[in-house]
Amino acid sequence: MITTILTAIATYIATSIDYLIILVIFFSREKGKNSMKGVILGQYLGTAALVIFSLLAAYGVSFIPQSWIIGLLGLIPIALGLRVLFEKEEEEEEEIIESTRKFSSLALSMMALTIASGGDNIGIYVPLFSSINSSEIIITLCIYFLLTAILCTVSYRIAKIKYVGETIEKYKRILVPAVFIVLGLM
C-alpha cells in the first residue's frame, strides 16, 4: 500500500507540475471568490476527464495478453520527457490562457486548458492504471483528487507572492523532463 501511495504521489507531481504555472497565472489574474471557485472547479473537471479517459484506455490495453507491450508504454513518458527537455522555450501557457477567454465560464476555460495540456497525464496514467489492481486504482484516484486540492491551494498562495512565477518557470524546464524519464524507465 505504501508503494501505491508513493507511486500515486510521484505520478501526480510529474504530470501536474505544469498546472502549477497555469493555476498561478489564473489565480493572479482573476479576483474574487467566484473566480477562485471557477478555477478550482475547472481543474477538478479537467483532471477527472483525463483520469476517466486514461482508465478507459488502460482497460482496453488490459485485453492485450503480452505483458511486454504494456512495458513498451513506458516509452511514452520517456518521449514526453525528452520532448520537453529539447523543445524551445515558449510562452505557450499564456497564449493558451488568452485563447480560452472565449469560453463563457472560467470553469470551462480551466477545464479545457487542463485537458489540452494533459497529454503527459494520459501517457503516464494509462501504463500505471493498466499495471495495478482495482483497489490500488481507487487509492491512486483518492490521492490524485486530494493532491488536486493541495495543488490549487499552493497555486493560489504562490499567486499572492511577487516574482515567484519566474522562478518556477526556470526550474520546470529541468524538473518535468527528469521526472518523466525516470517514471518511463520504471
Side-chain angles (χ1 to χ4, degrees):
M1 183 154 134
I2 297 292
T3 303
T4 302
I5 293 170
L6 293 176
T7 301
I9 291 170
T11 56
Y12 186 83
I13 290 170
T15 59
S16 299
I17 193 115
D18 52 342
Y19 297 135
L20 180 69
I21 303 296
I22 294 167
L23 286 165
V24 167
I25 293 169
F26 263 84
F27 283 133
S28 65
R29 296 176 96 187
E30 303 296 331
K31 306 294 180 207
K33 283 191 175 185
N34 285 339
S35 294
M36 186 176 79
K37 289 177 184 177
V39 172
I40 293 169
L41 176 62
Q43 182 65 30
Y44 268 101
L45 291 173
T47 300
L50 291 170
V51 165
I52 290 168
F53 180 82
S54 297
L55 283 169
L56 292 173
Y59 181 72
V61 169
S62 68
F63 287 111
I64 301 171
Q66 295 88 358
S67 61
W68 65 271
I69 293 176
I70 294 172
L72 288 177
L73 290 175
L75 295 175
I76 295 170
I78 292 172
L80 287 169
L82 292 172
R83 189 186 95 212
V84 170
L85 184 64
F86 294 112
E87 73 184 3
K88 292 181 181 177
E89 184 72 32
E90 294 180 18
E91 296 296 327
E92 74 180 54
E93 284 98 357
E94 289 184 32
E95 291 172 15
I96 293 172
I97 288 171
E98 287 302 319
S99 69
T100 59
R101 292 279 181 207
K102 65 184 173 188
F103 288 101
S104 61
S105 167
L106 187 58
L108 289 177
S109 296
M110 189 65 215
M111 181 182 91
L113 186 57
T114 302
I115 292 169
S117 48
D120 57 334
N121 298 58
I122 293 168
I124 300 278
Y125 296 168
V126 171
L128 174 66
F129 293 154
S130 64
S131 66
I132 59 178
N133 64 40
S134 298
S135 62
E136 292 170 326
I137 288 174
I138 292 170
I139 291 168
T140 300
L141 295 180
C142 289
I143 289 170
Y144 283 0
F145 287 100
L146 173 66
L147 290 175
T148 298
I150 293 170
L151 175 67
C152 288
T153 302
V154 168
S155 298
Y156 180 76
R157 298 216 176 173
I158 290 173
K160 301 295 182 188
I161 300 171
K162 224 175 183 182
Y163 306 114
V164 171
E166 295 169 11
T167 305
I168 293 170
E169 187 67 28
K170 179 181 172 184
Y171 292 112
K172 174 189 149 198
R173 304 273 310 148
I174 298 167
L175 183 61
V176 172
V179 172
F180 284 167
I181 292 168
V182 168
L183 285 171
L185 292 172
M186 289 174 57

